[in-house]
Amino acid sequence: LEIGFGGGEHIAAQARQNPDVNLIGCEPFVNGIASLLDEIDRDNIGNIRIFADDARTLLDALPDASIGRCFILFPDPWPKTRHNRRRFITGENLDSLARVMKDGAELRLASDHMEYVRWMLFHTLGHGAFEWTARGPADWRNRPVDAPQTRYEEKALVRGERCAYLSFRRKTGR
């Protein structure tokens, strides 16, 4: 599951690398959907399904323990304090993710907005259903080897921003 797939470059790469895995991409914006559909058509990718609406609606409909990996990469940080309630990483959404993710499933988050990185760490570590897999700084400073660079990441790097890559594991029985 990729929530907010943007232009679709990451989910398309994951689909090509894992042809026997079915992927769901959530994206409410038409331009991102069109971009991914072009890539699916061009490369004849058959293992992606698109949910063109709010991811919370999909999470409510998914069965328990049905997701093996979830990606939330470079989400809108909603940097103004009055907009923090719009951030996707919240206790309520983490409850939903914990319900639909299998024991041991990976939750991968990334951002170039360090205040939002702190927010994601605070909320995810405090949730109880997820454990951070990092063992040292390289684990959050370096993009995972199976992850292509997204256009949002590329823009951040061009601006001279640092990016953080957070990986969590869904705890067993929580």
Side-chain angles (χ1 to χ4, degrees):
L1 172 64
E2 184 165 345
I3 295 174
F5 61 72
E9 53 278 314
H10 179 269
I11 194 169
Q14 289 291 331
R16 285 189 293 270
Q17 290 171 19
N18 302 285
D20 296 331
V21 174
N22 292 314
L23 293 111
I24 304 169
C26 293
E27 179 60 59
F29 298 108
V30 174
N31 289 347
I33 294 167
S35 178
L36 178 57
L37 287 171
D38 283 345
E39 196 160 353
I40 288 170
D41 187 51
R42 182 184 67 243
D43 293 345
N44 197 28
I45 300 171
N47 57 333
I48 296 176
R49 301 298 175 264
I50 297 173
F51 185 76
D53 203 344
D54 189 318
R56 292 171 291 197
T57 304
L58 177 63
L59 291 174
D60 288 345
L62 287 171
D64 293 356
S66 59
I67 300 295
R69 290 174 97 186
C70 180
F71 304 95
I72 306 172
L73 308 175
F74 300 92
D76 190 330
W78 294 104
K80 294 179 182 175
T81 301
R82 71 176 187 263
H83 292 151
N84 283 356
R85 62 183 164 72
R86 295 183 178 188
R87 290 179 170 178
F88 191 81
I89 301 301
T90 63
E92 183 179 347
N93 288 337
L94 288 167
D95 286 344
S96 296
L97 286 170
R99 183 186 63 76
V100 302
M101 293 177 73
K102 297 175 183 177
D103 287 349
E106 181 184 19
L107 172 60
R108 205 180 274 182
L109 311 174
S111 181
D112 60 314
H113 191 274
M114 290 304 124
E115 195 279 319
Y116 194 24
V117 170
R118 286 187 292 277
W119 171 283
M120 292 189 295
L121 277 168
F122 176 81
H123 283 70
T124 309
L125 289 172
H127 185 269
F130 300 95
E131 61 184 340
W132 193 17
T133 62
R135 299 296 172 246
D139 293 335
W140 66 81
R141 290 182 180 157
N142 300 320
R143 181 179 348 102
V145 295
D146 69 336
Q149 187 176 65
T150 69
R151 64 185 167 123
Y152 296 106
E153 178 184 13
E154 182 179 4
K155 288 178 183 181
L157 295 172
V158 166
R159 290 191 313 267
E161 303 288 337
R162 293 175 306 165
C163 298
Y165 310 91
L166 308 175
S167 181
F168 299 89
R169 184 174 302 112
R170 171 72 167 81
K171 291 180 181 176
T172 302
R174 299 279 315 194

